[in-house]
Amino acid sequence: TISVSAFLLNRSSDLSFYFLLHPVWKTLSQLCAYWRFFLSLQAIKQTIMASNADFVQYIADQCAGAGEIVTRKMFGDYGIYCNGKIFGLICDDCFYLKPTEAGRKLLKTIDLRPPYQGAKDYFYIADVDDHDYLSNLVRETCRELPDKRPKSRK
């Protein structure tokens, strides 16, 4: 059998195990109960977490033919910009495009959904693997979107 201290020493590089060293834990059963609670919080955090950074980068790379693509973290999800104009959102590993007539004409299938609860409907883009299609869709959508408004001075 492995002792608790040996277990801790083997896992000392993982920061989540430092809580185990706290002097409050009197018994192993208290420690196990807290550990189960900690793991359940991690599972909840994983489900609440917004989009995976790899997915966000993949979408940005797929849209790169449309212009200079930048993503910005916004309220736990991501806004995606082309040449300074926000044209879509990436929420929960799903890509949403602002609805425009140009986009509607180019879409293979029109699927309007809100990216998050309480939001206006956006085009949900399921086919994110076709680079040329996505770049063209983003380019035409951005042409139709209004230019950025200059910030007014107060």
Side-chain angles (χ1 to χ4, degrees), residues 45-65:
K45 182 179 174 187
Q46 295 271 329
T47 60
I48 294 174
M49 285 284 288
S51 297
N52 179 339
D54 293 334
F55 181 77
V56 173
Q57 186 59 51
Y58 179 73
I59 296 296
D61 292 343
Q62 290 295 90
C63 298

Side-chain angles (χ1 to χ4, degrees), residues 55 58-59 62-63 94-95 97 106-109 111 123-135 137-138:
F55 181 77
Y58 179 73
I59 296 296
Q62 290 295 90
C63 298
C94 295
F95 179 45
L97 190 70
L106 291 173
L107 281 172
K108 295 174 183 174
T109 58
D111 185 0
F123 291 134
Y124 169 69
I125 310 299
D127 181 14
V128 295
D129 295 324
D130 186 347
H131 172 77
D132 295 331
Y133 168 70
L134 212 52
S135 292
L137 184 60
V138 168

